[in-house]
Amino acid sequence: MQSPGDTYGAIDGGLNRVGQLLAVFILLTSSAYARTDVSPCYAGFEISSACITERGLDQKVAAYRRNITQAMSRLGASYKMDLRVVNNPVEAGYSDVGDVFTDVVRNDEMRNQSFIINVTADFLEKQPEILFEASSLHEVCHVMNDDLTGYHRNAANVEAAEEHCVLQVVGESRYEQYLSTYASYRHWDPLTYTNYLQQVKNVSLVPAPGERDEADRLAIEYFKTHADGNEHLLVYNGELHDVTLYSTRNKVLHDPAKVGAIIKDGKPMIFFHNHPSEEGRAAMFPSYDDYGAAALFSFMTYARDPSLAVEFRVIQLGTKDTIVSYGFRGTAMDEIQQMASEYRKALALRIDVAGIEARQQNLDYQLAQESFNDYLRYACPVDLTRKDAEVCRTHPQYFLWPSDKFFLHYRPQ
Ligand SMILES: [Zn+2]
Ligand SMILES: [Zn+2]
């Protein structure tokens, strides 16, 4: 019997030692024995798409993919998650993994950027589709709860924490169907089932570490005490300034004189603005225009001083206040800095800057367009098969999309 804590395959959690030795032993003997007559489609780690077809797994693979997409939508998450069908994880050097397990792809700053769900062909062939549904929810919960290689937010309780996340989203009766199917897949006895179910129900998830700072607190307080139903643009540079010139419910124009004076002060700045709270999750995300404005204010800042820090945050007030920071990195940042540097040099030489300003406006437009294409369509994917196609299900806390130009980051309380 497996230990009850071992679910589909934690990335590094799992099998007890005896089970592990036994698995390795069987694997060695069977591969030595079968070496001569194993078809290439049954050997090695990753299975090619030709082999998936040859083994008659196309529909199963499509079904698993569909379950990953549905799992993210149900959980309010949006990540770049690829599916990799594999023969034997041990062939690629994995130990202690089950039939379904997730790899993390990190960017050059070692931050999580995308994920690969590995599923064994054996699991696809033999297990019922209800376990595709249960396991893909479980794997997405690994990402949401930050229970991945290198960092386990829920520490010793990782697998039960993921199951708790699944239980919360599907409800008790569906969850018990998952778990009883899982119990027969793992050959659990009834007592193991009952104990595990209780363990899952008892979990209380560890919240994400807080990231809010003094500026966030002051901005929230300001928006709460100036709740006139309109947007405001604020800048924090040690003190909070309202730099709104004119605004409506969902549009704000900045006061160029006030912004110019604050930039001239030369202190690190955080720009804040608010989005209407009644517009749901879509309004938690920065819009197309917000990226355009960030490009302009970044340019104005770097034209003054290329090393001055500037940040952008959008706030949505509600029962739980949401704060998302967003902006540029990588090549987009380089382009803005380059333009700012040309502008600075032209001013010093007293050359006309009209041409640079026109190119800079073009750049703002282009960056807004690209960030929209890169981010926002993944943040709130429109599902045209639904009646409520416009509804955004993704919570920014559970959104991550790889980009070398833009970022969007939820700031937990
Ligand atoms: Zn797991
Ligand atoms: Zn906005």
Side-chain angles (χ1 to χ4, degrees), residues 102-132:
T102 299
D103 278 318
V104 187
V105 181
R106 296 201 167 87
N107 66 15
D108 48 12
E109 292 160 359
M110 290 308 286
R111 292 180 196 277
N112 296 351
Q113 69 168 12
S114 65
F115 309 90
I116 301 167
I117 299 187
N118 302 282
V119 184
T120 64
D122 189 65
F123 185 87
L124 290 178
E125 268 163 356
K126 297 188 184 136
Q127 299 309 322
E129 197 169 327
I130 188 174
L131 285 188
F132 297 8

PDB file of all heavy atoms in Angstrom, residues 102-132:
ATOM      1  N   THR A 102       4.474  17.693 -12.436  1.00  0.00           N
ATOM      2  CA  THR A 102       4.673  18.977 -13.121  1.00  0.00           C
ATOM      3  C   THR A 102       6.107  19.471 -13.013  1.00  0.00           C
ATOM      4  O   THR A 102       6.693  19.435 -11.936  1.00  0.00           O
ATOM      5  CB  THR A 102       3.712  20.031 -12.532  1.00  0.00           C
ATOM      6  OG1 THR A 102       2.380  19.576 -12.749  1.00  0.00           O
ATOM      7  CG2 THR A 102       3.869  21.392 -13.204  1.00  0.00           C
ATOM      8  N   ASP A 103       6.633  19.904 -14.146  1.00  0.00           N
ATOM      9  CA  ASP A 103       7.943  20.553 -14.182  1.00  0.00           C
ATOM     10  C   ASP A 103       7.757  22.057 -14.294  1.00  0.00           C
ATOM     11  O   ASP A 103       6.825  22.529 -14.929  1.00  0.00           O
ATOM     12  CB  ASP A 103       8.728  20.092 -15.421  1.00  0.00           C
ATOM     13  CG  ASP A 103       9.416  18.757 -15.197  1.00  0.00           C
ATOM     14  OD1 ASP A 103       9.971  18.567 -14.100  1.00  0.00           O
ATOM     15  OD2 ASP A 103       9.394  17.922 -16.117  1.00  0.00           O
ATOM     16  N   VAL A 104       8.679  22.791 -13.698  1.00  0.00           N
ATOM     17  CA  VAL A 104       8.638  24.252 -13.758  1.00  0.00           C
ATOM     18  C   VAL A 104       9.687  24.734 -14.752  1.00  0.00           C
ATOM     19  O   VAL A 104      10.813  24.258 -14.725  1.00  0.00           O
ATOM     20  CB  VAL A 104       8.972  24.871 -12.384  1.00  0.00           C
ATOM     21  CG1 VAL A 104       8.755  26.375 -12.405  1.00  0.00           C
ATOM     22  CG2 VAL A 104       8.168  24.219 -11.295  1.00  0.00           C
ATOM     23  N   VAL A 105       9.311  25.654 -15.624  1.00  0.00           N
ATOM     24  CA  VAL A 105      10.271  26.290 -16.513  1.00  0.00           C
ATOM     25  C   VAL A 105      10.534  27.685 -15.960  1.00  0.00           C
ATOM     26  O   VAL A 105       9.596  28.458 -15.758  1.00  0.00           O
ATOM     27  CB  VAL A 105       9.721  26.385 -17.954  1.00  0.00           C
ATOM     28  CG1 VAL A 105      10.749  27.022 -18.885  1.00  0.00           C
ATOM     29  CG2 VAL A 105       9.315  25.010 -18.465  1.00  0.00           C
ATOM     30  N   ARG A 106      11.792  27.987 -15.671  1.00  0.00           N
ATOM     31  CA  ARG A 106      12.106  29.295 -15.085  1.00  0.00           C
ATOM     32  C   ARG A 106      12.800  30.186 -16.112  1.00  0.00           C
ATOM     33  O   ARG A 106      13.430  29.712 -17.040  1.00  0.00           O
ATOM     34  CB  ARG A 106      12.992  29.124 -13.851  1.00  0.00           C
ATOM     35  CG  ARG A 106      12.290  28.373 -12.737  1.00  0.00           C
ATOM     36  CD  ARG A 106      12.925  28.630 -11.372  1.00  0.00           C
ATOM     37  NE  ARG A 106      12.050  28.136 -10.319  1.00  0.00           N
ATOM     38  CZ  ARG A 106      12.067  26.887  -9.861  1.00  0.00           C
ATOM     39  NH1 ARG A 106      12.940  26.032 -10.306  1.00  0.00           N
ATOM     40  NH2 ARG A 106      11.220  26.516  -8.916  1.00  0.00           N
ATOM     41  N   ASN A 107      12.635  31.492 -15.922  1.00  0.00           N
ATOM     42  CA  ASN A 107      13.299  32.441 -16.824  1.00  0.00           C
ATOM     43  C   ASN A 107      14.714  32.735 -16.334  1.00  0.00           C
ATOM     44  O   ASN A 107      15.164  32.151 -15.351  1.00  0.00           O
ATOM     45  CB  ASN A 107      12.460  33.714 -17.002  1.00  0.00           C
ATOM     46  CG  ASN A 107      12.335  34.521 -15.707  1.00  0.00           C
ATOM     47  OD1 ASN A 107      13.070  34.309 -14.749  1.00  0.00           O
ATOM     48  ND2 ASN A 107      11.402  35.452 -15.685  1.00  0.00           N
ATOM     49  N   ASP A 108      15.401  33.654 -17.018  1.00  0.00           N
ATOM     50  CA  ASP A 108      16.803  33.896 -16.667  1.00  0.00           C
ATOM     51  C   ASP A 108      16.965  34.555 -15.297  1.00  0.00           C
ATOM     52  O   ASP A 108      18.060  34.599 -14.756  1.00  0.00           O
ATOM     53  CB  ASP A 108      17.518  34.693 -17.773  1.00  0.00           C
ATOM     54  CG  ASP A 108      16.716  35.899 -18.223  1.00  0.00           C
ATOM     55  OD1 ASP A 108      15.733  36.238 -17.523  1.00  0.00           O
ATOM     56  OD2 ASP A 108      17.047  36.499 -19.260  1.00  0.00           O
ATOM     57  N   GLU A 109      15.854  35.063 -14.742  1.00  0.00           N
ATOM     58  CA  GLU A 109      15.924  35.595 -13.374  1.00  0.00           C
ATOM     59  C   GLU A 109      15.491  34.535 -12.359  1.00  0.00           C
ATOM     60  O   GLU A 109      15.216  34.853 -11.193  1.00  0.00           O
ATOM     61  CB  GLU A 109      15.027  36.832 -13.243  1.00  0.00           C
ATOM     62  CG  GLU A 109      15.531  38.023 -14.049  1.00  0.00           C
ATOM     63  CD  GLU A 109      14.440  39.063 -14.319  1.00  0.00           C
ATOM     64  OE1 GLU A 109      13.281  38.864 -13.896  1.00  0.00           O
ATOM     65  OE2 GLU A 109      14.759  40.067 -14.970  1.00  0.00           O
ATOM     66  N   MET A 110      15.361  33.283 -12.842  1.00  0.00           N
ATOM     67  CA  MET A 110      14.963  32.156 -12.005  1.00  0.00           C
ATOM     68  C   MET A 110      13.542  32.284 -11.448  1.00  0.00           C
ATOM     69  O   MET A 110      13.202  31.695 -10.431  1.00  0.00           O
ATOM     70  CB  MET A 110      15.962  31.924 -10.848  1.00  0.00           C
ATOM     71  CG  MET A 110      17.318  31.386 -11.310  1.00  0.00           C
ATOM     72  SD  MET A 110      17.193  29.922 -12.356  1.00  0.00           S
ATOM     73  CE  MET A 110      16.752  28.674 -11.145  1.00  0.00           C
ATOM     74  N   ARG A 111      12.716  33.070 -12.126  1.00  0.00           N
ATOM     75  CA  ARG A 111      11.302  33.122 -11.720  1.00  0.00           C
ATOM     76  C   ARG A 111      10.514  32.129 -12.545  1.00  0.00           C
ATOM     77  O   ARG A 111      10.815  31.906 -13.720  1.00  0.00           O
ATOM     78  CB  ARG A 111      10.729  34.525 -11.971  1.00  0.00           C
ATOM     79  CG  ARG A 111      11.314  35.575 -11.068  1.00  0.00           C
ATOM     80  CD  ARG A 111      10.673  36.925 -11.401  1.00  0.00           C
ATOM     81  NE  ARG A 111      11.438  38.026 -10.842  1.00  0.00           N
ATOM     82  CZ  ARG A 111      11.313  38.440  -9.577  1.00  0.00           C
ATOM     83  NH1 ARG A 111      10.443  37.874  -8.782  1.00  0.00           N
ATOM     84  NH2 ARG A 111      12.046  39.431  -9.132  1.00  0.00           N
ATOM     85  N   ASN A 112       9.462  31.583 -11.949  1.00  0.00           N
ATOM     86  CA  ASN A 112       8.598  30.657 -12.688  1.00  0.00           C
ATOM     87  C   ASN A 112       8.012  31.374 -13.892  1.00  0.00           C
ATOM     88  O   ASN A 112       7.518  32.486 -13.771  1.00  0.00           O
ATOM     89  CB  ASN A 112       7.420  30.204 -11.816  1.00  0.00           C
ATOM     90  CG  ASN A 112       7.883  29.406 -10.620  1.00  0.00           C
ATOM     91  OD1 ASN A 112       9.049  29.041 -10.514  1.00  0.00           O
ATOM     92  ND2 ASN A 112       6.964  29.132  -9.718  1.00  0.00           N
ATOM     93  N   GLN A 113       8.070  30.728 -15.060  1.00  0.00           N
ATOM     94  CA  GLN A 113       7.412  31.375 -16.198  1.00  0.00           C
ATOM     95  C   GLN A 113       6.408  30.464 -16.909  1.00  0.00           C
ATOM     96  O   GLN A 113       5.427  30.938 -17.437  1.00  0.00           O
ATOM     97  CB  GLN A 113       8.406  31.983 -17.177  1.00  0.00           C
ATOM     98  CG  GLN A 113       9.234  30.987 -17.972  1.00  0.00           C
ATOM     99  CD  GLN A 113       9.972  31.664 -19.105  1.00  0.00           C
ATOM    100  OE1 GLN A 113      10.050  32.885 -19.178  1.00  0.00           O
ATOM    101  NE2 GLN A 113      10.517  30.876 -20.001  1.00  0.00           N
ATOM    102  N   SER A 114       6.659  29.169 -16.939  1.00  0.00           N
ATOM    103  CA  SER A 114       5.663  28.273 -17.529  1.00  0.00           C
ATOM    104  C   SER A 114       5.843  26.878 -16.934  1.00  0.00           C
ATOM    105  O   SER A 114       6.769  26.653 -16.135  1.00  0.00           O
ATOM    106  CB  SER A 114       5.781  28.250 -19.045  1.00  0.00           C
ATOM    107  OG  SER A 114       7.020  27.698 -19.424  1.00  0.00           O
ATOM    108  N   PHE A 115       4.965  25.963 -17.327  1.00  0.00           N
ATOM    109  CA  PHE A 115       4.909  24.660 -16.663  1.00  0.00           C
ATOM    110  C   PHE A 115       4.670  23.547 -17.674  1.00  0.00           C
ATOM    111  O   PHE A 115       4.073  23.771 -18.722  1.00  0.00           O
ATOM    112  CB  PHE A 115       3.785  24.673 -15.609  1.00  0.00           C
ATOM    113  CG  PHE A 115       3.898  25.845 -14.690  1.00  0.00           C
ATOM    114  CD1 PHE A 115       3.261  27.052 -14.989  1.00  0.00           C
ATOM    115  CD2 PHE A 115       4.706  25.785 -13.563  1.00  0.00           C
ATOM    116  CE1 PHE A 115       3.421  28.166 -14.170  1.00  0.00           C
ATOM    117  CE2 PHE A 115       4.865  26.889 -12.739  1.00  0.00           C
ATOM    118  CZ  PHE A 115       4.218  28.081 -13.044  1.00  0.00           C
ATOM    119  N   ILE A 116       5.171  22.363 -17.344  1.00  0.00           N
ATOM    120  CA  ILE A 116       4.929  21.197 -18.193  1.00  0.00           C
ATOM    121  C   ILE A 116       4.311  20.111 -17.311  1.00  0.00           C
ATOM    122  O   ILE A 116       4.904  19.705 -16.308  1.00  0.00           O
ATOM    123  CB  ILE A 116       6.246  20.672 -18.804  1.00  0.00           C
ATOM    124  CG1 ILE A 116       6.923  21.758 -19.637  1.00  0.00           C
ATOM    125  CG2 ILE A 116       5.975  19.426 -19.655  1.00  0.00           C
ATOM    126  CD1 ILE A 116       8.362  21.443 -20.006  1.00  0.00           C
ATOM    127  N   ILE A 117       3.118  19.680 -17.688  1.00  0.00           N
ATOM    128  CA  ILE A 117       2.512  18.551 -16.979  1.00  0.00           C
ATOM    129  C   ILE A 117       2.922  17.281 -17.712  1.00  0.00           C
ATOM    130  O   ILE A 117       2.640  17.116 -18.897  1.00  0.00           O
ATOM    131  CB  ILE A 117       0.979  18.672 -16.922  1.00  0.00           C
ATOM    132  CG1 ILE A 117       0.577  19.953 -16.179  1.00  0.00           C
ATOM    133  CG2 ILE A 117       0.369  17.446 -16.237  1.00  0.00           C
ATOM    134  CD1 ILE A 117      -0.921  20.089 -15.924  1.00  0.00           C
ATOM    135  N   ASN A 118       3.621  16.404 -17.029  1.00  0.00           N
ATOM    136  CA  ASN A 118       4.016  15.110 -17.589  1.00  0.00           C
ATOM    137  C   ASN A 118       2.979  14.070 -17.194  1.00  0.00           C
ATOM    138  O   ASN A 118       2.593  14.002 -16.019  1.00  0.00           O
ATOM    139  CB  ASN A 118       5.374  14.680 -17.010  1.00  0.00           C
ATOM    140  CG  ASN A 118       6.461  15.701 -17.273  1.00  0.00           C
ATOM    141  OD1 ASN A 118       6.992  15.773 -18.370  1.00  0.00           O
ATOM    142  ND2 ASN A 118       6.782  16.516 -16.273  1.00  0.00           N
ATOM    143  N   VAL A 119       2.541  13.295 -18.162  1.00  0.00           N
ATOM    144  CA  VAL A 119       1.598  12.208 -17.863  1.00  0.00           C
ATOM    145  C   VAL A 119       2.120  10.955 -18.546  1.00  0.00           C
ATOM    146  O   VAL A 119       2.519  10.992 -19.722  1.00  0.00           O
ATOM    147  CB  VAL A 119       0.184  12.533 -18.399  1.00  0.00           C
ATOM    148  CG1 VAL A 119      -0.805  11.443 -17.998  1.00  0.00           C
ATOM    149  CG2 VAL A 119      -0.309  13.870 -17.882  1.00  0.00           C
ATOM    150  N   THR A 120       2.123   9.840 -17.832  1.00  0.00           N
ATOM    151  CA  THR A 120       2.606   8.613 -18.467  1.00  0.00           C
ATOM    152  C   THR A 120       1.537   8.063 -19.415  1.00  0.00           C
ATOM    153  O   THR A 120       0.333   8.213 -19.178  1.00  0.00           O
ATOM    154  CB  THR A 120       2.961   7.516 -17.437  1.00  0.00           C
ATOM    155  OG1 THR A 120       1.775   7.131 -16.748  1.00  0.00           O
ATOM    156  CG2 THR A 120       4.001   7.997 -16.438  1.00  0.00           C
ATOM    157  N   ALA A 121       2.022   7.438 -20.484  1.00  0.00           N
ATOM    158  CA  ALA A 121       1.116   6.825 -21.458  1.00  0.00           C
ATOM    159  C   ALA A 121       0.286   5.741 -20.783  1.00  0.00           C
ATOM    160  O   ALA A 121      -0.891   5.552 -21.086  1.00  0.00           O
ATOM    161  CB  ALA A 121       1.923   6.231 -22.605  1.00  0.00           C
ATOM    162  N   ASP A 122       0.918   5.065 -19.832  1.00  0.00           N
ATOM    163  CA  ASP A 122       0.231   4.017 -19.084  1.00  0.00           C
ATOM    164  C   ASP A 122      -1.007   4.572 -18.360  1.00  0.00           C
ATOM    165  O   ASP A 122      -2.081   3.972 -18.374  1.00  0.00           O
ATOM    166  CB  ASP A 122       1.224   3.431 -18.065  1.00  0.00           C
ATOM    167  CG  ASP A 122       0.682   2.201 -17.388  1.00  0.00           C
ATOM    168  OD1 ASP A 122       0.481   1.197 -18.104  1.00  0.00           O
ATOM    169  OD2 ASP A 122       0.426   2.244 -16.165  1.00  0.00           O
ATOM    170  N   PHE A 123      -0.862   5.748 -17.758  1.00  0.00           N
ATOM    171  CA  PHE A 123      -1.969   6.404 -17.055  1.00  0.00           C
ATOM    172  C   PHE A 123      -3.079   6.763 -18.052  1.00  0.00           C
ATOM    173  O   PHE A 123      -4.258   6.514 -17.806  1.00  0.00           O
ATOM    174  CB  PHE A 123      -1.435   7.653 -16.344  1.00  0.00           C
ATOM    175  CG  PHE A 123      -2.444   8.372 -15.479  1.00  0.00           C
ATOM    176  CD1 PHE A 123      -2.633   7.993 -14.152  1.00  0.00           C
ATOM    177  CD2 PHE A 123      -3.174   9.446 -15.979  1.00  0.00           C
ATOM    178  CE1 PHE A 123      -3.547   8.671 -13.339  1.00  0.00           C
ATOM    179  CE2 PHE A 123      -4.088  10.123 -15.169  1.00  0.00           C
ATOM    180  CZ  PHE A 123      -4.272   9.736 -13.847  1.00  0.00           C
ATOM    181  N   LEU A 124      -2.663   7.327 -19.199  1.00  0.00           N
ATOM    182  CA  LEU A 124      -3.654   7.701 -20.224  1.00  0.00           C
ATOM    183  C   LEU A 124      -4.400   6.474 -20.739  1.00  0.00           C
ATOM    184  O   LEU A 124      -5.602   6.512 -20.967  1.00  0.00           O
ATOM    185  CB  LEU A 124      -2.976   8.415 -21.395  1.00  0.00           C
ATOM    186  CG  LEU A 124      -2.431   9.821 -21.153  1.00  0.00           C
ATOM    187  CD1 LEU A 124      -1.754  10.343 -22.415  1.00  0.00           C
ATOM    188  CD2 LEU A 124      -3.526  10.787 -20.717  1.00  0.00           C
ATOM    189  N   GLU A 125      -3.664   5.390 -20.913  1.00  0.00           N
ATOM    190  CA  GLU A 125      -4.263   4.172 -21.467  1.00  0.00           C
ATOM    191  C   GLU A 125      -5.238   3.513 -20.499  1.00  0.00           C
ATOM    192  O   GLU A 125      -6.301   3.059 -20.895  1.00  0.00           O
ATOM    193  CB  GLU A 125      -3.155   3.150 -21.818  1.00  0.00           C
ATOM    194  CG  GLU A 125      -2.669   3.275 -23.246  1.00  0.00           C
ATOM    195  CD  GLU A 125      -1.314   2.592 -23.492  1.00  0.00           C
ATOM    196  OE1 GLU A 125      -0.685   2.074 -22.553  1.00  0.00           O
ATOM    197  OE2 GLU A 125      -0.890   2.611 -24.670  1.00  0.00           O
ATOM    198  N   LYS A 126      -4.837   3.460 -19.222  1.00  0.00           N
ATOM    199  CA  LYS A 126      -5.568   2.595 -18.286  1.00  0.00           C
ATOM    200  C   LYS A 126      -6.541   3.305 -17.370  1.00  0.00           C
ATOM    201  O   LYS A 126      -7.449   2.668 -16.838  1.00  0.00           O
ATOM    202  CB  LYS A 126      -4.563   1.814 -17.431  1.00  0.00           C
ATOM    203  CG  LYS A 126      -3.707   0.877 -18.266  1.00  0.00           C
ATOM    204  CD  LYS A 126      -2.860  -0.019 -17.392  1.00  0.00           C
ATOM    205  CE  LYS A 126      -1.937  -0.871 -18.241  1.00  0.00           C
ATOM    206  NZ  LYS A 126      -0.586  -0.910 -17.675  1.00  0.00           N
ATOM    207  N   GLN A 127      -6.356   4.602 -17.129  1.00  0.00           N
ATOM    208  CA  GLN A 127      -7.189   5.242 -16.117  1.00  0.00           C
ATOM    209  C   GLN A 127      -8.402   5.938 -16.736  1.00  0.00           C
ATOM    210  O   GLN A 127      -8.327   6.448 -17.844  1.00  0.00           O
ATOM    211  CB  GLN A 127      -6.357   6.227 -15.278  1.00  0.00           C
ATOM    212  CG  GLN A 127      -5.200   5.566 -14.522  1.00  0.00           C
ATOM    213  CD  GLN A 127      -5.636   4.362 -13.713  1.00  0.00           C
ATOM    214  OE1 GLN A 127      -6.714   4.352 -13.112  1.00  0.00           O
ATOM    215  NE2 GLN A 127      -4.817   3.308 -13.722  1.00  0.00           N
ATOM    216  N   PRO A 128      -9.514   5.970 -15.982  1.00  0.00           N
ATOM    217  CA  PRO A 128     -10.731   6.604 -16.498  1.00  0.00           C
ATOM    218  C   PRO A 128     -10.577   8.128 -16.579  1.00  0.00           C
ATOM    219  O   PRO A 128      -9.751   8.705 -15.869  1.00  0.00           O
ATOM    220  CB  PRO A 128     -11.782   6.234 -15.451  1.00  0.00           C
ATOM    221  CG  PRO A 128     -11.014   5.964 -14.198  1.00  0.00           C
ATOM    222  CD  PRO A 128      -9.685   5.415 -14.635  1.00  0.00           C
ATOM    223  N   GLU A 129     -11.393   8.761 -17.427  1.00  0.00           N
ATOM    224  CA  GLU A 129     -11.238  10.189 -17.660  1.00  0.00           C
ATOM    225  C   GLU A 129     -11.485  11.029 -16.407  1.00  0.00           C
ATOM    226  O   GLU A 129     -10.956  12.131 -16.291  1.00  0.00           O
ATOM    227  CB  GLU A 129     -12.127  10.667 -18.824  1.00  0.00           C
ATOM    228  CG  GLU A 129     -11.656  12.029 -19.330  1.00  0.00           C
ATOM    229  CD  GLU A 129     -12.282  12.506 -20.638  1.00  0.00           C
ATOM    230  OE1 GLU A 129     -12.595  11.655 -21.494  1.00  0.00           O
ATOM    231  OE2 GLU A 129     -12.437  13.734 -20.783  1.00  0.00           O
ATOM    232  N   ILE A 130     -12.235  10.507 -15.457  1.00  0.00           N
ATOM    233  CA  ILE A 130     -12.459  11.275 -14.218  1.00  0.00           C
ATOM    234  C   ILE A 130     -11.129  11.555 -13.508  1.00  0.00           C
ATOM    235  O   ILE A 130     -10.952  12.598 -12.880  1.00  0.00           O
ATOM    236  CB  ILE A 130     -13.476  10.572 -13.278  1.00  0.00           C
ATOM    237  CG1 ILE A 130     -13.837  11.486 -12.106  1.00  0.00           C
ATOM    238  CG2 ILE A 130     -12.956   9.225 -12.797  1.00  0.00           C
ATOM    239  CD1 ILE A 130     -14.930  10.944 -11.199  1.00  0.00           C
ATOM    240  N   LEU A 131     -10.159  10.655 -13.691  1.00  0.00           N
ATOM    241  CA  LEU A 131      -8.840  10.912 -13.087  1.00  0.00           C
ATOM    242  C   LEU A 131      -8.028  11.914 -13.899  1.00  0.00           C
ATOM    243  O   LEU A 131      -7.124  12.555 -13.369  1.00  0.00           O
ATOM    244  CB  LEU A 131      -8.048   9.611 -12.884  1.00  0.00           C
ATOM    245  CG  LEU A 131      -8.487   8.711 -11.723  1.00  0.00           C
ATOM    246  CD1 LEU A 131      -7.494   7.581 -11.522  1.00  0.00           C
ATOM    247  CD2 LEU A 131      -8.671   9.488 -10.421  1.00  0.00           C
ATOM    248  N   PHE A 132      -8.354  12.073 -15.180  1.00  0.00           N
ATOM    249  CA  PHE A 132      -7.722  13.155 -15.958  1.00  0.00           C
ATOM    250  C   PHE A 132      -8.163  14.495 -15.363  1.00  0.00           C
ATOM    251  O   PHE A 132      -7.374  15.406 -15.165  1.00  0.00           O
ATOM    252  CB  PHE A 132      -8.137  13.128 -17.436  1.00  0.00           C
ATOM    253  CG  PHE A 132      -7.744  11.905 -18.227  1.00  0.00           C
ATOM    254  CD1 PHE A 132      -7.182  10.789 -17.632  1.00  0.00           C
ATOM    255  CD2 PHE A 132      -7.945  11.884 -19.610  1.00  0.00           C
ATOM    256  CE1 PHE A 132      -6.819   9.666 -18.376  1.00  0.00           C
ATOM    257  CE2 PHE A 132      -7.587  10.780 -20.371  1.00  0.00           C
ATOM    258  CZ  PHE A 132      -7.037   9.672 -19.755  1.00  0.00           C
TER     259      PHE A 132
END
